[in-house]
PDB file of all heavy atoms in Angstrom:
ATOM      1  N   LEU A   4      22.519-179.949-193.385  1.00 56.00           N
ATOM      2  CA  LEU A   4      22.223-178.635-192.814  1.00 56.00           C
ATOM      3  C   LEU A   4      21.687-178.756-191.399  1.00 56.00           C
ATOM      4  O   LEU A   4      22.034-177.976-190.510  1.00 56.00           O
ATOM      5  CB  LEU A   4      21.212-177.896-193.702  1.00 56.00           C
ATOM      6  CG  LEU A   4      21.737-177.417-195.062  1.00 56.00           C
ATOM      7  CD1 LEU A   4      20.594-176.824-195.887  1.00 56.00           C
ATOM      8  CD2 LEU A   4      22.837-176.381-194.866  1.00 56.00           C
ATOM      9  N   ASN A   5      20.800-179.755-191.194  1.00 61.00           N
ATOM     10  CA  ASN A   5      20.226-179.942-189.856  1.00 61.00           C
ATOM     11  C   ASN A   5      21.301-180.321-188.837  1.00 61.00           C
ATOM     12  O   ASN A   5      21.275-179.881-187.683  1.00 61.00           O
ATOM     13  CB  ASN A   5      19.145-181.016-189.896  1.00 61.00           C
ATOM     14  CG  ASN A   5      17.878-180.524-190.582  1.00 61.00           C
ATOM     15  OD1 ASN A   5      17.617-179.320-190.597  1.00 61.00           O
ATOM     16  ND2 ASN A   5      17.110-181.432-191.160  1.00 61.00           N
ATOM     17  N   SER A   6      22.250-181.148-189.266  1.00 62.00           N
ATOM     18  CA  SER A   6      23.293-181.584-188.338  1.00 62.00           C
ATOM     19  C   SER A   6      24.328-180.485-188.089  1.00 62.00           C
ATOM     20  O   SER A   6      24.956-180.435-187.028  1.00 62.00           O
ATOM     21  CB  SER A   6      23.985-182.829-188.885  1.00 62.00           C
ATOM     22  OG  SER A   6      24.609-182.558-190.127  1.00 62.00           O
ATOM     23  N   SER A   7      24.518-179.562-189.076  1.00 65.00           N
ATOM     24  CA  SER A   7      25.520-178.507-188.908  1.00 65.00           C
ATOM     25  C   SER A   7      24.961-177.289-188.169  1.00 65.00           C
ATOM     26  O   SER A   7      25.730-176.426-187.717  1.00 65.00           O
ATOM     27  CB  SER A   7      26.050-178.060-190.274  1.00 65.00           C
ATOM     28  OG  SER A   7      25.028-177.475-191.051  1.00 65.00           O
ATOM     29  N   TYR A   8      23.640-177.198-188.022  1.00 64.00           N
ATOM     30  CA  TYR A   8      23.025-176.029-187.380  1.00 64.00           C
ATOM     31  C   TYR A   8      23.515-175.831-185.942  1.00 64.00           C
ATOM     32  O   TYR A   8      23.876-174.696-185.562  1.00 64.00           O
ATOM     33  CB  TYR A   8      21.501-176.161-187.435  1.00 64.00           C
ATOM     34  CG  TYR A   8      20.789-175.029-186.736  1.00 64.00           C
ATOM     35  CD1 TYR A   8      20.701-173.767-187.339  1.00 64.00           C
ATOM     36  CD2 TYR A   8      20.217-175.215-185.484  1.00 64.00           C
ATOM     37  CE1 TYR A   8      20.060-172.729-186.694  1.00 64.00           C
ATOM     38  CE2 TYR A   8      19.574-174.176-184.838  1.00 64.00           C
ATOM     39  CZ  TYR A   8      19.484-172.945-185.451  1.00 64.00           C
ATOM     40  OH  TYR A   8      18.857-171.916-184.813  1.00 64.00           O
ATOM     41  N   PRO A   9      23.541-176.883-185.101  1.00 72.00           N
ATOM     42  CA  PRO A   9      24.039-176.678-183.718  1.00 72.00           C
ATOM     43  C   PRO A   9      25.479-176.179-183.692  1.00 72.00           C
ATOM     44  O   PRO A   9      25.838-175.339-182.851  1.00 72.00           O
ATOM     45  CB  PRO A   9      23.919-178.061-183.084  1.00 72.00           C
ATOM     46  CG  PRO A   9      22.875-178.754-183.874  1.00 72.00           C
ATOM     47  CD  PRO A   9      23.048-178.262-185.282  1.00 72.00           C
ATOM     48  N   PHE A  10      26.304-176.717-184.636  1.00 70.00           N
ATOM     49  CA  PHE A  10      27.697-176.265-184.669  1.00 70.00           C
ATOM     50  C   PHE A  10      27.793-174.792-185.081  1.00 70.00           C
ATOM     51  O   PHE A  10      28.603-174.038-184.536  1.00 70.00           O
ATOM     52  CB  PHE A  10      28.501-177.140-185.644  1.00 70.00           C
ATOM     53  CG  PHE A  10      28.613-178.566-185.207  1.00 70.00           C
ATOM     54  CD1 PHE A  10      27.827-179.548-185.796  1.00 70.00           C
ATOM     55  CD2 PHE A  10      29.501-178.933-184.194  1.00 70.00           C
ATOM     56  CE1 PHE A  10      27.923-180.869-185.398  1.00 70.00           C
ATOM     57  CE2 PHE A  10      29.600-180.256-183.798  1.00 70.00           C
ATOM     58  CZ  PHE A  10      28.813-181.224-184.393  1.00 70.00           C
ATOM     59  N   THR A  11      26.959-174.386-186.049  1.00 74.00           N
ATOM     60  CA  THR A  11      26.941-172.983-186.481  1.00 74.00           C
ATOM     61  C   THR A  11      26.501-172.061-185.350  1.00 74.00           C
ATOM     62  O   THR A  11      27.078-170.986-185.122  1.00 74.00           O
ATOM     63  CB  THR A  11      26.008-172.816-187.685  1.00 74.00           C
ATOM     64  OG1 THR A  11      26.397-173.714-188.727  1.00 74.00           O
ATOM     65  CG2 THR A  11      26.045-171.383-188.206  1.00 74.00           C
ATOM     66  N   LEU A  12      25.461-172.519-184.639  1.00 76.00           N
ATOM     67  CA  LEU A  12      24.952-171.731-183.516  1.00 76.00           C
ATOM     68  C   LEU A  12      26.011-171.601-182.414  1.00 76.00           C
ATOM     69  O   LEU A  12      26.236-170.510-181.868  1.00 76.00           O
ATOM     70  CB  LEU A  12      23.685-172.376-182.954  1.00 76.00           C
ATOM     71  CG  LEU A  12      22.995-171.626-181.807  1.00 76.00           C
ATOM     72  CD1 LEU A  12      22.548-170.242-182.269  1.00 76.00           C
ATOM     73  CD2 LEU A  12      21.805-172.429-181.288  1.00 76.00           C
ATOM     74  N   THR A  13      26.678-172.723-182.140  1.00 78.00           N
ATOM     75  CA  THR A  13      27.738-172.702-181.115  1.00 78.00           C
ATOM     76  C   THR A  13      28.882-171.780-181.535  1.00 78.00           C
ATOM     77  O   THR A  13      29.413-171.003-180.729  1.00 78.00           O
ATOM     78  CB  THR A  13      28.269-174.121-180.886  1.00 78.00           C
ATOM     79  OG1 THR A  13      27.186-174.973-180.493  1.00 78.00           O
ATOM     80  CG2 THR A  13      29.334-174.130-179.802  1.00 78.00           C
ATOM     81  N   ALA A  14      29.260-171.863-182.813  1.00 78.00           N
ATOM     82  CA  ALA A  14      30.340-171.006-183.316  1.00 78.00           C
ATOM     83  C   ALA A  14      29.951-169.534-183.242  1.00 78.00           C
ATOM     84  O   ALA A  14      30.774-168.671-182.896  1.00 78.00           O
ATOM     85  CB  ALA A  14      30.678-171.389-184.753  1.00 78.00           C
ATOM     86  N   GLY A  15      28.676-169.252-183.542  1.00 81.00           N
ATOM     87  CA  GLY A  15      28.199-167.866-183.454  1.00 81.00           C
ATOM     88  C   GLY A  15      28.248-167.340-182.039  1.00 81.00           C
ATOM     89  O   GLY A  15      28.638-166.188-181.795  1.00 81.00           O
ATOM     90  N   VAL A  16      27.832-168.191-181.075  1.00 82.00           N
ATOM     91  CA  VAL A  16      27.855-167.786-179.663  1.00 82.00           C
ATOM     92  C   VAL A  16      29.289-167.546-179.204  1.00 82.00           C
ATOM     93  O   VAL A  16      29.596-166.553-178.521  1.00 82.00           O
ATOM     94  CB  VAL A  16      27.160-168.848-178.791  1.00 82.00           C
ATOM     95  CG1 VAL A  16      27.386-168.545-177.308  1.00 82.00           C
ATOM     96  CG2 VAL A  16      25.672-168.911-179.091  1.00 82.00           C
ATOM     97  N   ILE A  17      30.183-168.479-179.595  1.00 85.00           N
ATOM     98  CA  ILE A  17      31.597-168.334-179.208  1.00 85.00           C
ATOM     99  C   ILE A  17      32.196-167.075-179.810  1.00 85.00           C
ATOM    100  O   ILE A  17      32.929-166.324-179.137  1.00 85.00           O
ATOM    101  CB  ILE A  17      32.392-169.582-179.633  1.00 85.00           C
ATOM    102  CG1 ILE A  17      31.942-170.798-178.814  1.00 85.00           C
ATOM    103  CG2 ILE A  17      33.888-169.356-179.451  1.00 85.00           C
ATOM    104  CD1 ILE A  17      32.542-172.104-179.275  1.00 85.00           C
ATOM    105  N   ALA A  18      31.878-166.804-181.093  1.00 86.00           N
ATOM    106  CA  ALA A  18      32.400-165.601-181.749  1.00 86.00           C
ATOM    107  C   ALA A  18      31.876-164.334-181.072  1.00 86.00           C
ATOM    108  O   ALA A  18      32.614-163.357-180.885  1.00 86.00           O
ATOM    109  CB  ALA A  18      32.029-165.606-183.229  1.00 86.00           C
ATOM    110  N   SER A  19      30.586-164.360-180.688  1.00 87.00           N
ATOM    111  CA  SER A  19      29.997-163.201-180.009  1.00 87.00           C
ATOM    112  C   SER A  19      30.670-162.956-178.662  1.00 87.00           C
ATOM    113  O   SER A  19      30.987-161.816-178.303  1.00 87.00           O
ATOM    114  CB  SER A  19      28.493-163.399-179.817  1.00 87.00           C
ATOM    115  OG  SER A  19      27.844-163.546-181.060  1.00 87.00           O
ATOM    116  N   LEU A  20      30.873-164.047-177.905  1.00 87.00           N
ATOM    117  CA  LEU A  20      31.537-163.921-176.606  1.00 87.00           C
ATOM    118  C   LEU A  20      32.964-163.426-176.766  1.00 87.00           C
ATOM    119  O   LEU A  20      33.453-162.608-175.963  1.00 87.00           O
ATOM    120  CB  LEU A  20      31.520-165.264-175.872  1.00 87.00           C
ATOM    121  CG  LEU A  20      30.145-165.758-175.396  1.00 87.00           C
ATOM    122  CD1 LEU A  20      30.254-167.159-174.820  1.00 87.00           C
ATOM    123  CD2 LEU A  20      29.575-164.794-174.351  1.00 87.00           C
ATOM    124  N   LEU A  21      33.648-163.933-177.814  1.00 88.00           N
ATOM    125  CA  LEU A  21      35.015-163.492-178.068  1.00 88.00           C
ATOM    126  C   LEU A  21      35.057-162.009-178.428  1.00 88.00           C
ATOM    127  O   LEU A  21      35.916-161.260-177.940  1.00 88.00           O
ATOM    128  CB  LEU A  21      35.616-164.336-179.196  1.00 88.00           C
ATOM    129  CG  LEU A  21      37.098-164.055-179.533  1.00 88.00           C
ATOM    130  CD1 LEU A  21      37.976-164.336-178.326  1.00 88.00           C
ATOM    131  CD2 LEU A  21      37.531-164.906-180.725  1.00 88.00           C
ATOM    132  N   ALA A  22      34.101-161.583-179.278  1.00 87.00           N
ATOM    133  CA  ALA A  22      34.036-160.166-179.654  1.00 87.00           C
ATOM    134  C   ALA A  22      33.729-159.293-178.436  1.00 87.00           C
ATOM    135  O   ALA A  22      34.295-158.208-178.265  1.00 87.00           O
ATOM    136  CB  ALA A  22      32.983-159.954-180.740  1.00 87.00           C
ATOM    137  N   LEU A  23      32.821-159.799-177.568  1.00 84.00           N
ATOM    138  CA  LEU A  23      32.480-159.058-176.348  1.00 84.00           C
ATOM    139  C   LEU A  23      33.696-158.942-175.428  1.00 84.00           C
ATOM    140  O   LEU A  23      33.965-157.872-174.863  1.00 84.00           O
ATOM    141  CB  LEU A  23      31.336-159.762-175.624  1.00 84.00           C
ATOM    142  CG  LEU A  23      30.830-159.098-174.333  1.00 84.00           C
ATOM    143  CD1 LEU A  23      30.278-157.701-174.628  1.00 84.00           C
ATOM    144  CD2 LEU A  23      29.754-159.968-173.679  1.00 84.00           C
ATOM    145  N   ALA A  24      34.441-160.042-175.292  1.00 85.00           N
ATOM    146  CA  ALA A  24      35.636-160.030-174.445  1.00 85.00           C
ATOM    147  C   ALA A  24      36.681-159.063-174.984  1.00 85.00           C
ATOM    148  O   ALA A  24      37.322-158.320-174.218  1.00 85.00           O
ATOM    149  CB  ALA A  24      36.215-161.443-174.350  1.00 85.00           C
ATOM    150  N   ILE A  25      36.858-159.070-176.332  1.00 85.00           N
ATOM    151  CA  ILE A  25      37.812-158.150-176.944  1.00 85.00           C
ATOM    152  C   ILE A  25      37.377-156.699-176.721  1.00 85.00           C
ATOM    153  O   ILE A  25      38.194-155.820-176.393  1.00 85.00           O
ATOM    154  CB  ILE A  25      37.963-158.454-178.453  1.00 85.00           C
ATOM    155  CG1 ILE A  25      38.629-159.827-178.648  1.00 85.00           C
ATOM    156  CG2 ILE A  25      38.766-157.358-179.155  1.00 85.00           C
ATOM    157  CD1 ILE A  25      38.647-160.286-180.086  1.00 85.00           C
TER     158      ILE A  25
END
Side-chain angles (χ1 to χ4, degrees):
L4 290 174
N5 287 334
S6 61
S7 64
Y8 177 76
F10 295 103
T11 305
L12 183 61
T13 302
V16 171
I17 293 173
S19 299
L20 292 174
L21 184 61
L23 181 62
I25 293 172

